[in-house]
Amino acid sequence: MTAIHAPITVHYRSTEVDGVDLFYREAGPADGPVVLLLHGFPTSSHMFRNLIPLLADRYRVIAPDYPGFGQSAAPDRASFSYGFGHFADLVDGLLGKLGAKSYAMYVMDYGAPVGYRLALKHPERVSGLIVQNGNAYEEGLGAFWDEIKAYWASGSAERRQVLADQVTLEAIKFQYTDGVRDVTRISPDNWVHDQALLDRPGNREIQLDLFYDYRTNVQLYPQIQAFFRDRRPPTLIVWGENDQIFAAAGAHAYLRDLPDAELHLLDTGHFALEDKLDEIAPLIHDFLDRKIAGR
């Protein structure tokens, strides 16, 4: 008879960190090496719903939602600072509460600046990097960023309003489908789920605040690149090469500072997990087994 393996149980939890209720998904053995999954815009830990069970056989997988995203609290922006540095501090606090003293990080989109700020705070804690369309180089910022850069330069209300188009259903669907060869592999639940959360009162302005704060991540690129050179963490890069948001040139740029990184360019777009999970998950598990499990 063929053995039937019990499905992995994923736990859905919340805890308070510095007065903010943070939601996170957790699965896998409590004593397993930690894999921290850091989501992008405009989604949440929901983007990892299919990956988590595939890693949690021997790894302790933790996937938080940032404030204003997913199931985490969304404090009023009048009294709460929405920025990537603050997000990194809160994730750091969450990991402290969970006793995670060492972790490999999967960084995607917004997850890259959150994770790399965490790495700058605690470089010794980073056991490895899995980079999926998570940028750390100017080369990755193509024409898509022109209007955002114009907003960074002026900070004007007019430039801010132009970017409001980026939090519409059409724009969110584009992020999931652009560059994908077979869109029937992409569940429409993705953009419906994300848009419902973006449409919460006050959330659009939160997202526009984060668009402006993103400029501070670019300012940190030299420090982040120095971290790569100095620490040489084992690194796997799995990148949707058709991504217009973070161009494939940004994937290649990592090799300047991490020449031993394993680079895989995939024929897909921004949210590569949605249609290339069958290719990405084995690459990640193999990487973790070789580079992380025995450390």
Side-chain angles (χ1 to χ4, degrees), residues 235-258:
T235 301
L236 172 69
I237 303 169
V238 283
W239 200 285
E241 66 178 337
N242 308 326
D243 188 4
Q244 293 191 53
I245 299 170
F246 292 120
H252 289 286
Y254 275 89
L255 300 180
R256 287 204 302 268
D257 299 309
L258 292 166

Side-chain angles (χ1 to χ4, degrees), residues 82-280:
Y82 282 91
F84 293 90
H86 198 181
F87 285 179
D89 289 342
L90 290 168
V91 172
D92 189 22
L94 173 65
L95 294 172
K97 282 198 161 194
L98 299 181
K101 298 178 180 177
S102 176
Y103 35 81
M105 298 193 300
Y106 181 124
V107 299
M108 186 269 172
D109 190 88
Y110 277 11
V114 173
Y116 293 151
R117 287 171 183 268
L118 194 57
L120 293 178
K121 290 183 68 173
H122 306 294
E124 74 287 350
R125 298 183 185 178
V126 180
S127 61
L129 295 174
I130 302 154
V131 183
Q132 189 256 294
N133 298 72
N135 200 56
Y137 293 86
E138 291 276 1
E139 290 95 322
L141 303 177
F144 177 89
W145 290 83
D146 289 350
E147 289 184 346
I148 300 174
K149 289 179 178 179
Y151 179 36
W152 295 347
S154 72
S156 70
E158 291 78 12
R159 286 293 182 182
R160 181 182 176 95
Q161 187 56 40
V162 167
L163 296 181
D165 287 346
Q166 295 301 322
V167 293
T168 62
L169 184 62
E170 181 180 2
I172 303 312
K173 182 178 179 180
F174 167 87
Q175 290 206 28
Y176 281 100
T177 59
D178 185 66
V180 175
R181 298 304 180 191
D182 181 1
V183 296
T184 68
R185 300 187 68 162
I186 311 297
S187 170
D189 294 345
N190 283 299
W191 50 86
V192 172
H193 175 273
D194 289 350
Q195 193 64 44
L197 294 172
L198 289 172
D199 287 343
R200 289 176 295 177
N203 196 272
R204 186 184 76 161
E205 296 304 317
I206 287 170
Q207 302 305 328
L208 295 176
D209 287 348
L210 287 166
F211 288 169
Y212 189 63
D213 190 68
Y214 199 94
R215 75 195 190 286
T216 66
N217 300 325
V218 179
Q219 294 163 5
L220 284 178
Y221 282 176
Q223 292 180 52
I224 294 167
Q225 293 157 18
F227 160 77
F228 296 153
R229 292 191 299 272
D230 295 344
R231 303 295 301 193
R232 294 292 180 97
T235 301
L236 172 69
I237 303 169
V238 283
W239 200 285
E241 66 178 337
N242 308 326
D243 188 4
Q244 293 191 53
I245 299 170
F246 292 120
H252 289 286
Y254 275 89
L255 300 180
R256 287 204 302 268
D257 299 309
L258 292 166
D260 297 327
E262 303 170 25
L263 172 61
H264 300 266
L265 294 178
L266 305 173
D267 184 16
T268 187
H270 190 61
F271 281 107
L273 275 183
E274 291 301 324
D275 69 324
K276 295 296 183 182
L277 179 71
D278 56 338
E279 296 181 37
I280 292 175

Side-chain angles (χ1 to χ4, degrees), residues 2-157:
T2 302
I4 298 176
H5 298 285
I8 296 290
T9 298
V10 179
H11 297 274
Y12 305 89
R13 298 181 165 124
S14 294
T15 191
E16 187 176 296
V17 180
D18 292 340
V20 181
D21 192 45
L22 291 185
F23 173 87
Y24 62 99
R25 302 171 194 238
E26 185 174 20
D31 59 351
V34 174
V35 179
L36 174 65
L37 307 180
L38 295 171
H39 69 80
F41 166 85
T43 183
S44 62
S45 60
H46 176 264
M47 71 167 280
F48 299 117
R49 67 200 179 280
N50 298 320
L51 178 64
I52 290 172
L54 301 180
L55 301 183
D57 56 338
R58 65 183 305 187
Y59 299 98
R60 182 186 181 194
V61 185
I62 300 169
D65 292 350
Y66 318 133
F69 292 81
Q71 303 298 319
S72 285
D76 192 313
R77 55 192 285 272
S79 57
F80 180 86
S81 175
Y82 282 91
F84 293 90
H86 198 181
F87 285 179
D89 289 342
L90 290 168
V91 172
D92 189 22
L94 173 65
L95 294 172
K97 282 198 161 194
L98 299 181
K101 298 178 180 177
S102 176
Y103 35 81
M105 298 193 300
Y106 181 124
V107 299
M108 186 269 172
D109 190 88
Y110 277 11
V114 173
Y116 293 151
R117 287 171 183 268
L118 194 57
L120 293 178
K121 290 183 68 173
H122 306 294
E124 74 287 350
R125 298 183 185 178
V126 180
S127 61
L129 295 174
I130 302 154
V131 183
Q132 189 256 294
N133 298 72
N135 200 56
Y137 293 86
E138 291 276 1
E139 290 95 322
L141 303 177
F144 177 89
W145 290 83
D146 289 350
E147 289 184 346
I148 300 174
K149 289 179 178 179
Y151 179 36
W152 295 347
S154 72
S156 70

